[in-house]
Structures are given as structure tokens and as C-alpha cells.
């Protein structure tokens, strides 16, 4: 009889393990020798000489997502006997087949173990010849194991609480950075097994386990980025161009800057794509007649920029901009700084905070700013409320309506017509489970450990209604978040960056402009510092226009470099 083959014969597949634990070195070596000779090609044979050592190995394999097919444990071991070991091992790898090695005198104990640890087989020592006494037993156990569902999970794993704000942030961070992950709730069996393998408990969630098996307990975004393969440190001290912000404008600038030979680095605080990267489907972007998701568009643009040589660094928060002679210095929150000849500010906008009482208490626990794509699977067959009347709200509504029981769009305006694209309005009108509540707003939210109720006010009828709701997504306008530029470049009264001809006052000298020549079209009041995208005062707030401004800004950078 030949050894059963693993269901995945790919060379890249993770080999399932067969673990043998025995405190007698001679017996241990003999077991492993015989197992390796028969099964070593398709299975990883692991040897341990004590129960605690074997449990350590099993925890490591659990974190790495390596499946364990069979556990072979000697009954008589000091400190922790085979039954005690198998009892703890089954908490980590419940699908592994369990075999106990016993002497003839210990047969009764082996039989008792069938009930204690759900033993699959006990094997009397000695097992010579293995072809008659060992291999038939292992073959049968492998056949049984291969019939169970035990596919290894080798991507990043997150263990957390369902209604934890930080757990939600970690999922959002990985999703927006195009990093696959598997989510486990801490109060479910597999989540508990992973926490045990990581040496922690539910009080210290979220726990992120990398594909390499490293456990990160309550990690920051910077720690996550460094462990999952994102670039967080620039390779140079000086560049031709620093692009601040990784939305469509910043990505467009990075692509054109790098492709035209500029030493270019793009600095992003969270993830490339910006608000557009959170859109479930953009259907009016040139060249994509069937639409494209914001994350797909951002991923393609990021890879395109990298192909041309642009560096993309994440989890670096820009807090200041300084002029040092011909250099433009960008300061980071951690105290580091980076210099370049030129800078393009493409930081986009952020969703405004909702003023209703209780909103901040439930953010990440039923209340979400954006995040529709990340949370969609968790609100399937439930009632969802969306606040906002622009395209981002409409795209989220269409996406969530696929799986949710109902979607209600709450908008203060009498209709969606002034703020949303016509094609989206038409789609919404044709989706039966989407309702639009016009002239309405959310006035308060409530619940215990998560959102459970929201109060809606109809401003036209001056009435209020409290409804049951566990999911509230907010898309309520935008704020530029340019406080870090205060006193450096000219901004308008809403914080948007003013550039080019808009700097002029009554046809006179541009505000704050130090040179004789006029500023270039997208140049701010600081020569060599340009602006592109939604953060630009009076911008179009569309993906295509943002990409176009990013490309145009690079053209103007070349002009500046040729003649500052």
C-alpha cells in the first residue's frame, strides 16, 4: 500500500506535518527515521523530545498556518505524559489525527485515552517491521485526515473583537493596502486557538499574525506596515520630487514624475487610493466602460509608479513643511525629515466628523467613516444606513445593497440631484432595497457596547424617529486637513490650498509670492511647492481631474527645475 498523497501537490504548497514526541532519544530517532523514509517527500516530519517542546512547535505551526496531519505521542513521558500532551495539542490542532505509542503493559491506559482525548489509534511498541505494523496505521490515519476540511490559512490573520474600533482600523488598513487577510473573532474556537498559540488572550486584541507566523499584539499601523512588507523608510535623503498624499492626484504625480526621470518619492499616511480608493465602483472614469473599483485603480497606479522607479512609503504622517534655501523640507511626526527640490501637496480631503451626540463613542463599533467595502461582509442581511449625498455615498449604497437587507440613504437636501452623478441616481432608483430619506439627518445614536439605535430628524416635517440600526456609514462632505501648512502657504478660509492665478489680489502682486515671475498654474505661494487634487481650492472633486492635475503639476515641476 502506498502512502496517501497530499491534496495539493504543488511545490509551493505548505507541507502538512507529522509530529512525533518521545522522551527516549533512541525511540524518537527510530520513529522519525521510519516516518521520514515513507512520508518525507509529501509531509514534514517533526521530532520533539518532550510534551512542552512539542507544544511549542505546534504553536509555531499554528501561527504559520501549517496544517498538522498526525500527532504520534509516547504514553510514558516525565512531566507531561502522552495523554496530557494530546489533550492540549487538540486545542491547537483539532483536526490532527492522534496516535499513542504504548507498551503492552499500558494498553488499559491507551483504551481510556480514547475517551479522554478522542484517540484515533494506539500503537504497541516495538512496531518492527514498520511495513506491517507502523505504515498501515499511519496510512489509514492520513486517509482519514485528508477527508476532513483543513486547508491551511497562510495569509495574514487578525484576531479581534467584533465591535472593537481598533480591530476595525486594522482590517481597514490591510484591506486598503491590498493585503489579504483572514478575520477571526476572539470568542470563536479558531480565534481562541490562535490567541493561545500567540501566547496572549482576548484582552489584548487585536492580534495580527503575519504569513511568516509572527504574532503582533495590539500593533500600531507603523508596526503592521513594517511586518507585512510595506515600505516605511525612504532610501535617499534628497529627491527631486516629494509627493505628499497617495490619492489619484498623488499617484498620477508619482507616475509622471518617475516616468520622466525625476527622483520621486510618494509619502502616504495610511494607504494609497485616498477616498477614491474606498469606492466600490467608479463608472465614469475614462477608459473603464465597465467600471473599476477604487482599490483596483489605486493598486494599478501604485504598481505603475513603482515600475518607473518611484518609491512609495506608508504610515508616515507629514506634520510640517519648511523652506531651506533651494531645498524644501518635509517633516514627519516621528521627528524625521526629508528634503527635495520640489514638493507636490496632494493630500486630498478627509470626511468631516459628524456632530451628532454619541457618534464618536461608536466609531468603529457600528459607525464608520467610509469603510463600506471592508465591512460589507459583516452587515449582510442587515439594515444599513448611509449619511451623505455625494458619489461616494451613492457608490457605497449600490455596493452594500447587494447583500444587505435594506439600505437607507439619509440626506439633508431635498434630493440627490445637486450632489450626485446622474448615472448613480438612476442606479439607486432601480434598486428595490435602497430608500432615500431626503430633508433628514441623524441627530443621535445609542447602544450598549456597539451601535443599536439611531434617531433621525425630518427637517421638512419637524419630526423625529428612532430606528434600530447596527450599521451607520458616514460620507458627509470633506475637510482638507491642511493645518500642518499653517503659516507656510496661502490657504482659503476653509483650509484649501490656493495656487497660481488665484493667489493674485485685484490684479496685483500674488499673496505671499517672493519672486518676480508669476507663480505657475498649480504653484502655491512657496516657489517649488505645488498642489494637485481635492486639496486644491475650488477643485472639481473628481478622480479624472485629480489625476490630470497630478500630471500637470509634474510638468510645472520641470519648468521650475529648469528655471526656479
Amino acid at each position: 500500500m502506498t502512502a496517501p498523497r497530499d491534496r495539493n501537490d504543488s511545490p509551493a504548497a505548505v507541507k502538512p506535518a507529522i509530529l512525533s514526541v518521545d522522551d527516549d532519544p533512541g525511540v524518537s530517532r527510530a520513529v522519525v527515521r521510519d516516518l521520514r523514509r515513507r512520508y518525507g517527500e509529501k509531509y514534514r516530519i517533526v521530532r520533539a523530545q518532550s510534551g512542552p517542546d512539542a507544544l511549542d512547535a505546534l504553536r509555531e505551526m499554528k501561527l504559520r498556518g501549517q496544517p498538522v496531519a498526525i500527532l504520534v505521542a509516547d504514553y510514558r513521558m516525565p512531566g507531561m505524559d502522552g495523554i496530557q500532551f494530546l489533550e492540549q495539542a487538540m486545542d491547537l490542532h483539532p483536526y490532527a489525527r492522534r496516535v499513542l505509542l504504548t507498551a503492552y503493559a499500558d494498553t488499559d491506559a491507551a483504551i481510556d485515552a480514547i475517551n479522554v482525548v478522542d484517540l484515533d489509534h494506539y500503537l504497541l511498541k516495538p512496531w518492527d517491521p514498520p511495513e506491517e505494523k507502523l505504515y498501515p496505521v499511519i496510512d489509514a490515519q492520513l486517509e482519514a485526515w485528508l477527508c476532513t476540511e483543513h486547508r491551511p490559512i497562510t495569509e495574514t490573520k487578525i484576531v479581534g473583537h467584533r465591535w472593537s474600533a481598533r480591530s476595525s482600523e486594522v482590517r481597514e488598513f490591510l484591506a486598503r493596502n491590498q493585503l489579504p487577510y483572514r478575520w477571526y473573532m476572539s470568542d470563536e474556537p479558531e480565534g481562541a486557538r490562535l490567541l493561545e498559540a500567540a501566547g496572549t488572550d482576548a484582552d489584548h486584541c487585536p492580534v495580527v499574525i503575519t504569513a511568516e507566523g509572527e504574532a503582533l499584539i495590539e500593533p500600531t499601523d507603523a508596526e503592521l506596515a513594517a511586518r507585512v512588507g510595506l515600505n516605511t523608510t525612504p532610501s535617499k535623503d534628497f529627491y527631486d520630487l516629494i509627493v505628499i498624499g497617495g490619492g489619484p492626484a498623488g499617484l498620477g504625480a508619482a507616475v509622471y514624475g518617475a516616468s520622466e526621470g525625476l527622483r520621486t518619492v510618494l509619502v502616504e499616511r495610511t494607504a494609497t487610493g485616498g477616498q477614491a480608493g474606498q469606492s466600490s465602483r467608479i463608472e465614469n472614469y475614462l477608459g473603464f466602460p465597465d467600471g473599476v473599483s477604487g482599490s483596483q485603480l489605486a493598486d494599478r497606479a501604485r504598481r505603475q509608479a513603482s515600475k518607473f522607479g518611484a518609491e512609495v512609503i506608508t504610515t508616515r504622517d507629514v506634520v510640517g513643511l519648511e523652506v531651506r534655501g533651494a531645498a524644501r523640507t518635509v517633516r514627519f511626526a516621528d521627528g524625521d525629515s526629508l528634503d527635495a527640490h520640489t514638493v507636490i501637496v496632494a493630500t486630498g480631503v478627509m470626511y468631516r466628523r459628524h456632530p451628532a451626540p454619541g457618534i464618536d463613542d461608536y466609531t468603529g463599533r457600528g459607525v464608520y467613516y467610509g469603510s463600506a467595502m471592508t465591512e460589507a461582509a459583516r452587515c449582510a442581511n442587515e439594515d444599513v444606513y448611509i449619511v451623505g449625498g455625494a458619489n461616494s455615498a451613492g457608490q457605497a449604497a449600490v455596493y452594500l445593497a447587494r447583500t444587505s437587507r435594506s439600505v437607507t440613504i439619509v440626506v439633508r437636501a431635498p434630493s440627490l440631484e445637486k450632489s450626485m452623478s446622474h448615472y448613480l441616481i438612476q442606479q439607486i432608483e432601480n434598486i428595490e432595497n435602497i430608500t432615500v430619506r431626503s430633508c433628514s439627518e441623524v441627530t443621535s445614536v445609542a447602544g450598549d457596547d456597539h451601535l443599536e439605535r439611531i434617531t433621525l430628524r425630518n427637517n421638512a416635517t419637524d419630526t423625529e424617529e428612532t430606528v434600530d440600526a447596527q450599521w451607520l456609514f458616514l460620507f458627509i462632505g470633506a475637510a482638507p486637513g491642511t493645518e500642518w501648512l499653517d503659516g507656510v502657504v496661502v490657504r482659503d478660509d476653509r483650509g484649501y490650498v490656493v495656487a497660481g492665478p488665484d493667489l493674485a489680489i485685484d490684479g496685483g502682486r500674488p499673496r505671499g509670492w517672493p519672486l518676480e515671475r508669476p507663480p505657475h498654474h498649480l504653484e502655491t505661494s512657496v516657489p517649488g511647492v505645488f498642489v494637485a487634487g481635492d486639496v486644491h481650492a475650488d477643485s472639481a472633486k473628481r478622480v479624472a481631474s485629480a489625476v490630470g492635475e497630478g500630471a500637470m503639476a509634474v510638468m510645472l515641476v520641470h519648468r521650475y527645475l529648469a528655471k526656479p
Side-chain angles (χ1 to χ4, degrees):
M1 181 176 180
T2 59
R5 297 176 63 85
D6 181 27
R7 68 178 68 185
N8 189 345
D9 287 341
S10 168
V14 177
K15 280 187 177 182
I18 299 175
L19 182 143
S20 171
V21 53
D22 197 310
D23 67 304
D24 185 324
V27 174
S28 179
R29 284 193 296 269
V31 173
V32 169
R33 177 200 64 211
D34 290 340
L35 290 175
R36 187 168 289 130
R37 185 173 62 190
R38 173 84 165 193
Y39 307 104
E41 181 181 351
K42 306 302 295 182
Y43 294 85
R44 178 188 174 202
I45 310 303
V46 180
R47 172 188 172 195
Q49 290 190 242
S50 72
D53 288 346
L55 289 174
D56 287 343
L58 290 176
R59 291 187 185 97
E60 180 181 345
M61 285 186 274
K62 185 70 178 180
L63 295 176
R64 294 175 63 89
Q66 180 176 38
V68 177
I70 299 179
L71 302 169
V72 181
D74 184 59
Y75 172 62
R76 288 185 178 272
M77 292 189 295
M80 178 185 293
D81 64 33
I83 296 175
Q84 293 170 328
F85 161 72
L86 291 173
E87 191 171 10
Q88 295 188 43
M90 65 190 294
D91 291 334
L92 292 167
H93 296 273
Y95 299 113
R97 307 294 291 182
R98 292 172 283 276
V99 176
L100 193 68
L101 285 176
T102 67
Y104 182 79
D106 298 322
T107 302
D108 291 341
I111 294 173
D112 291 339
I114 294 175
N115 296 320
V116 175
V117 296
D118 193 21
L119 192 67
D120 296 301
H121 198 90
Y122 67 89
L123 186 63
L124 292 176
K125 298 186 292 185
W127 57 86
D128 289 331
E131 288 78 10
E132 295 181 10
K133 296 185 178 180
L134 176 64
Y135 295 154
V137 172
I138 301 300
D139 286 348
Q141 298 309 315
L142 289 174
E143 290 283 7
W145 180 79
L146 288 169
C147 291
T148 62
E149 183 60 41
H150 49 73
R151 294 177 183 175
I153 306 301
T154 55
E155 69 261 34
T156 299
K157 296 176 273 289
I158 307 173
V159 185
H161 303 292
R162 181 184 183 189
W163 300 113
S164 160
R166 181 55 187 159
S167 294
S168 175
E169 291 170 357
V170 167
R171 291 199 308 272
E172 180 80 0
F173 177 83
L174 293 178
R176 291 188 61 192
N177 280 288
Q178 300 288 305
L179 297 168
Y181 68 87
R182 183 68 63 92
W183 163 254
Y184 299 90
M185 286 195 284
S186 58
D187 57 355
E188 293 181 343
E190 185 64 10
R193 285 190 283 268
L194 288 168
L195 289 176
E196 181 189 348
T200 188
D201 55 37
D203 292 334
H204 296 90
C205 285
V207 173
V208 177
I209 301 164
T210 68
E212 291 73 29
E214 181 182 9
L216 309 175
I217 300 173
E218 299 179 286
T220 64
D221 285 354
E223 290 171 336
L224 264 179
R227 296 299 194 279
V228 297
L230 297 177
N231 186 21
T232 61
T233 305
S235 65
K236 304 177 181 67
D237 295 325
F238 197 95
Y239 292 82
D240 295 320
L241 171 63
I242 299 174
V243 180
I244 306 174
L251 287 167
V255 167
Y256 281 92
S259 67
E260 294 175 10
L262 298 178
R263 293 170 298 170
T264 303
V265 60
L266 184 150
V267 180
E268 169 56 45
R269 179 170 54 187
T270 304
T272 54
Q275 283 192 351
Q278 297 176 279
S279 296
S280 57
R281 184 152 295 272
I282 303 169
E283 297 189 62
N284 59 349
Y285 187 67
L286 184 68
F288 291 89
D290 298 321
V292 61
S293 74
S295 61
Q296 289 174 329
L297 189 63
D299 181 58
R300 291 178 182 181
R302 179 192 55 77
R303 289 189 285 112
Q304 193 173 15
S306 298
K307 181 189 76 171
F308 287 123
E311 292 183 39
V312 178
I313 63 175
T314 58
T315 64
R316 300 302 293 270
D317 194 7
V318 175
V319 297
L321 177 65
E322 299 175 3
V323 177
R324 295 182 178 177
R328 304 294 177 258
T329 300
V330 170
R331 291 190 292 104
F332 299 120
D334 61 4
D336 286 345
S337 63
L338 196 59
D339 296 324
H341 289 300
T342 60
V343 170
I344 295 177
V345 178
T347 49
V349 292
M350 302 174 293
Y351 290 117
R352 294 187 184 276
R353 309 304 293 182
H354 198 290
I359 287 285
D360 290 344
D361 295 333
Y362 295 99
T363 300
R365 298 189 292 131
V367 175
Y368 303 92
Y369 289 87
S371 305
M373 293 186 68
T374 305
E375 301 296 334
R378 300 205 303 143
C379 53
N381 301 315
E382 299 198 28
D383 299 317
V384 172
Y385 287 79
I386 294 174
V387 177
N391 279 8
S392 55
Q395 289 161 351
V398 171
Y399 183 75
L400 291 169
R402 299 175 183 175
T403 56
S404 299
R405 181 167 51 203
S406 70
V407 175
T408 301
I409 301 176
V410 181
V411 59
R412 297 177 67 176
S415 71
L416 300 173
E417 293 180 358
K418 289 186 178 181
S419 56
M420 191 177 293
S421 294
H422 180 65
Y423 81 91
L424 267 176
I425 296 175
Q426 288 184 311
Q427 287 185 22
I428 289 169
E429 290 175 348
N430 292 323
I431 298 176
E432 293 183 356
N433 62 334
I434 297 182
T435 302
V436 178
R437 293 184 65 147
S438 58
C439 300
S440 299
E441 60 183 311
V442 174
T443 57
S444 66
V445 299
D448 291 329
D449 66 333
H450 65 278
L451 178 70
E452 295 176 329
R453 297 174 298 280
I454 64 174
T455 299
L456 299 169
R457 177 182 178 82
N458 187 314
N459 295 320
T461 61
D462 197 25
T463 58
E464 287 192 343
E465 177 188 6
T466 299
V467 297
D468 292 335
Q470 291 186 322
W471 303 97
L472 178 63
F473 295 91
L474 304 175
F475 301 85
I476 51 171
T482 55
E483 295 81 4
W484 60 280
L485 289 171
D486 187 30
V488 181
V489 303
V490 173
R491 299 176 297 153
D492 66 14
D493 55 3
R494 295 180 300 164
Y496 291 92
V497 178
V498 181
D502 295 330
L503 288 168
I505 303 176
D506 297 328
R509 189 177 184 85
R511 288 177 288 173
W513 185 249
L515 303 181
E516 290 299 322
R517 69 166 177 84
H520 297 304
H521 182 69
L522 296 176
E523 197 167 18
T524 71
S525 58
V526 175
V529 176
F530 299 82
V531 64
D534 289 359
V535 73
H536 181 197
D538 297 323
S539 64
K541 306 296 188 293
R542 289 291 185 266
V543 174
S545 61
V547 173
E549 283 199 350
M552 183 186 295
V554 171
M555 178 188 71
L556 300 173
V557 163
H558 280 291
R559 290 186 186 177
Y560 172 84
L561 292 174
K563 189 177 180 181

